[in-house]
Amino acid sequence: MVETLNIELPADEDRVRSLRAGDLVTLTGEIVISAGLPTYRRLLSQLRHGIEPPLDLHGKALFHVGSQSEQVGDEHRLLYLNPTTSTRFDAEMPELIRGLGIRFAGGKGGLGDESVAAMRDTGCVYLSFLGGGCTLLSEAIRRVTGVFWTEMVSHYRLVQVEVERLGPLTVGIDAHGESIYRNLRERAGARLPAILEKLSRERATGRSTS
Amino acid sequence: MPISYQLLKSVTSRMYLRSLRAVPADAKKALAAAQARETDGVARTTLDLMVANARAAEERGHFLCSDSGVPTYIVRIGTKVTFDGDVKRAIRDGFAEVVATSDPPLLKHVTNPLTNERGYAGKDMPIVTFDVLDGADYVEIICSPKALGSGRWAALEIFTFPSLAEIEEYVLKVVLRAGSQACPPLVVGVGIGGTFDYATKLAKESVVRPMGQSHPDPVVADMERRLLAAVNETGFGPMGTGGATTAMAVHVDYAAGHGFTPVAVCFNCWIDRRTRVRISDDGTVSETE
């Protein structure tokens, strides 16, 4: 059984830098989520124009996670949340990580090398959510504390939500330049010649040809 | 007795919801087998979470994944079957009913490719393909909602007189490109030969084939076994954070064609969303998956 660390948010740089790729964590506190590419592009465009985001993201967690909400009077209720593929945001994330000063990025599937470098430089980690973990991940929802850009469809909005023991999530990229995704991609690439060689041997001696 | 519009509508809408809320029995079995085999701690925890999420979603009637994707249906119509009402309209109206009544509600994933506008309806939605079953007195329907996570990494390449080695290398390269992004452990579908469109149809129909059924041709069955072991040696593991289980199954099919040989590869994520139903001409409905 792998130990799971519970992290209280907001977490300071030392705490974030103490995490290592492969650690399992749960999060308690406020996170900000959006699965919309137009959302991240808008954040980036505003950052470049010196426009403050609609909520302060400095030191916060900003995740590639979509959500469905319903509005009852003035209150937003979050019905569920779930991650989306982070590599869709590869072009925007390096500058956003540096410019917004976020401590946690995340979603599923990892981010590219420029984001890894940005996380190392600024003290930020990437957390991998269970794709298709909607039912269990949504159990962590406590209350919505802010919804921004409501003219967008539900999963594109910036939603600030208080969660309790969200996860477990895997540290996929740590603040020391270590990326599980890069390591696995490189390892798989390095193994490919041996895998192909084995396939050729098995093809030659397989049942079908015996 | 003809199969009615109303029956088709209610059956296909139910299939869509079931695909969102339950993992097929064979995929559950494959996940359990992976749990028993996996030695990496994080991979084991991830598999445990997958199995727990599948159970919770089924018990609570909740979605496993927030990406309900686009509904796709494969409809195989027996030639002895008769219909009372429009078939395509029944499926479209069934999806509209799901959109209107689903609890929890669906997110807007149906996208106009020309404007990127999101909604629930659009041209050719749901995506339905038809085939004919000579002599059969039933309709077989497979519903397979397709989300971005696994849908994004499908690929097609057209080779000229390729060797089996070249075909298998291509499949592996597509798997490496998908890497951690397609929500492994995956089901991999491969279609070889025919034409540009037919190879992709073979890949899609292979990916929804029940797990544990090898291809009847021993050459293809061997290729499936070889490729499954090869995909698992890549080491991406559950959710692509490392481990021994990157795929639960590799399903291959082929068709004769010309010397230009298309090879299509597609994926289902660990949830392996698919539901299969037969409706007999007398209106009897049996859920086979």
Side-chain angles (χ1 to χ4, degrees):
Chain A
M1 196 61 197
V2 184
E3 189 196 357
T4 304
L5 311 160
N6 187 47
I7 295 177
E8 301 278 343
L9 301 175
D12 62 21
E13 185 174 344
D14 286 349
R15 181 76 176 112
V16 169
R17 286 202 185 271
S18 74
L19 297 172
R20 296 286 170 170
D23 285 350
L24 287 177
V25 302
T26 56
L27 299 180
T28 298
E30 270 185 342
I31 62 168
V32 182
I33 58 177
S34 174
L37 191 52
T39 316
Y40 288 84
R41 286 183 175 159
R42 187 162 158 186
L43 278 172
L44 182 58
S45 166
Q46 293 195 348
L47 183 69
R48 285 174 176 170
H49 288 94
I51 302 167
E52 291 290 323
L55 72 170
D56 184 12
L57 289 163
H58 198 268
K60 298 273 184 68
L62 174 63
F63 294 128
H64 306 129
V65 166
S67 63
Q68 174 65 282
S69 61
E70 64 178 10
Q71 195 165 351
V72 184
D74 289 339
E75 189 196 351
H76 285 272
R77 288 187 192 149
L78 213 57
L79 302 176
Y80 55 85
L81 55 77
N82 202 48
T84 188
T85 312
S86 293
T87 49
R88 293 200 290 126
F89 312 97
D90 260 340
E92 291 77 21
M93 287 311 290
E95 209 174 323
L96 285 177
I97 290 164
R98 291 181 195 278
L100 298 174
I102 55 174
R103 286 270 168 255
F104 297 89
K108 68 175 187 74
L111 281 167
D113 292 344
E114 283 185 45
S115 292
V116 176
M119 286 187 252
R120 183 196 56 214
D121 293 348
T122 62
C124 174
V125 296
Y126 177 93
L127 301 178
S128 167
F129 290 65
L130 176 67
C134 188
T135 314
L136 293 183
L137 290 170
S138 301
E139 282 181 358
I141 298 168
R142 287 297 165 264
R143 65 190 183 96
V144 176
T145 54
V147 181
F148 305 91
W149 296 347
T150 50
E151 68 278 20
M152 292 178 159
V153 295
S154 188
H155 48 305
Y156 283 9
R157 295 171 187 165
L158 278 169
V159 179
Q160 184 167 258
V161 55
E162 198 179 293
V163 292
E164 190 176 331
R165 291 190 178 273
L166 173 69
L169 316 171
T170 309
V171 179
I173 302 167
D174 65 24
H176 306 277
E178 198 61 28
S179 165
I180 280 176
Y181 307 100
R182 187 188 53 219
N183 294 348
L184 290 173
R185 203 169 52 236
E186 285 175 358
R187 203 192 313 166
R191 279 179 186 174
L192 188 60
I195 294 173
L196 294 176
E197 176 61 34
K198 192 174 164 208
L199 278 172
S200 289
R201 271 200 315 276
E202 287 173 355
R203 203 178 304 115
T205 58
R207 259 189 5 193
S208 58
T209 51
S210 61
Chain B
M1 194 174 77
I3 295 173
S4 71
Y5 158 89
Q6 198 54 45
L7 181 65
L8 266 179
K9 181 182 155 190
S10 67
V11 166
T12 52
S13 64
R14 214 163 53 226
M15 290 175 80
Y16 182 61
L17 281 172
R18 181 177 157 73
S19 303
L20 301 181
R21 291 170 172 164
V23 173
D26 53 359
K28 276 187 202 152
K29 218 168 115 185
L31 289 169
Q35 272 180 307
R37 209 172 39 229
E38 191 62 70
T39 52
D40 180 281
V42 173
R44 233 343 251 283
T45 305
T46 305
L47 286 166
D48 291 348
L49 208 56
M50 286 170 175
V51 170
N53 194 53
R55 193 178 303 128
E58 208 163 337
E59 281 170 8
R60 300 174 208 170
H62 202 279
F63 302 148
L64 280 134
C65 180
S66 65
D67 191 343
S68 49
V70 295
T72 74
Y73 291 90
I74 298 169
V75 181
R76 295 167 179 152
I77 300 174
T79 51
K80 290 185 176 167
V81 169
T82 51
F83 292 103
D84 175 14
D86 295 342
V87 174
K88 277 187 170 180
R89 192 167 62 86
I91 296 172
R92 191 175 67 233
D93 292 351
F95 177 56
E97 190 175 88
V98 170
V99 169
T101 60
S102 172
D103 179 23
L106 307 179
L107 288 165
K108 289 179 176 174
H109 286 297
V110 176
T111 307
N112 179 324
L114 307 180
T115 62
N116 284 329
E117 195 181 334
R118 293 253 192 189
Y120 295 114
K123 187 174 182 300
D124 292 354
M125 187 57 50
I127 295 168
V128 189
T129 58
F130 292 94
D131 219 330
V132 164
L133 298 170
D134 276 336
D137 63 353
Y138 59 85
V139 177
E140 183 176 71
I141 307 175
I142 301 165
C143 174
S144 166
K146 200 71 216 157
L148 186 141
S150 62
R152 167 70 180 85
W153 305 102
L156 170 87
E157 189 160 324
I158 300 178
F159 294 85
T160 310
F161 299 103
S163 63
L164 286 187
E166 284 173 286
I167 291 171
E168 290 175 17
E169 180 173 352
Y170 177 66
V171 175
L172 262 291
K173 285 189 168 164
V174 176
V175 167
L176 253 62
R177 197 177 67 168
S180 302
Q181 302 167 98
C183 293
L186 308 164
V187 179
V188 185
V190 182
I192 304 166
T195 52
F196 165 77
D197 53 322
Y198 201 74
T200 56
K201 173 184 158 76
L202 288 175
K204 173 74 184 181
E205 296 200 344
S206 296
V207 96
V208 296
R209 187 205 301 168
M211 263 189 260
Q213 282 185 10
S214 290
H215 194 281
D217 183 330
V219 174
V220 182
D222 277 354
M223 187 190 269
E224 290 177 342
R225 273 192 291 274
R226 274 198 302 277
L227 283 173
L228 176 60
V231 170
N232 283 328
E233 279 172 44
T234 59
F236 289 109
M239 278 321 289
T241 57
T245 318
T246 303
M248 298 184 279
V250 178
H251 294 161
V252 183
D253 202 1
Y254 77 105
H258 201 294
F260 70 91
T261 300
V263 180
V265 183
C266 66
F267 301 106
N268 267 5
C269 68
W270 70 268
I271 300 171
D272 196 16
R273 293 202 294 212
R274 66 196 147 86
T275 305
R276 189 185 305 254
V277 158
R278 273 188 186 185
I279 310 174
S280 297
D281 197 39
D282 64 5
T284 313
V285 179
S286 55
E287 286 187 8
T288 53
E289 270 186 286

